[in-house]
Amino acid sequence: MIEPNESEQPAQRDYDDWKRTKIERGMAQACDRSMVIPIEQVLRELAV
């Protein structure tokens, strides 16, 4: 992975931070399945 440098845009740093957090949460969910939202709930909430 390319390390951020001083001239990097703030929006890109924010996105990179958001992406890293999202991946870390996903990895934690993979270890603790009780953190995952049940598919039935997801489908119910997304129903058109």
Side-chain angles (χ1 to χ4, degrees):
M1 184 166 107
I2 299 172
E3 293 297 320
N5 59 41
E6 296 295 323
S7 64
E8 192 172 6
Q9 296 292 330
Q12 181 64 41
R13 285 194 306 267
D14 290 345
Y15 172 75
D16 290 343
D17 291 342
W18 169 84
K19 185 170 60 172
R20 180 180 194 96
T21 300
K22 186 165 182 67
I23 291 169
E24 289 171 350
R25 285 181 183 161
M27 291 174 69
Q29 286 180 348
C31 294
D32 181 2
R33 301 301 289 172
S34 69
M35 295 171 51
V36 178
I37 300 170
I39 189 64
E40 294 82 10
Q41 180 182 346
V42 173
L43 294 175
R44 186 173 53 250
E45 292 175 1
L46 294 177
V48 179

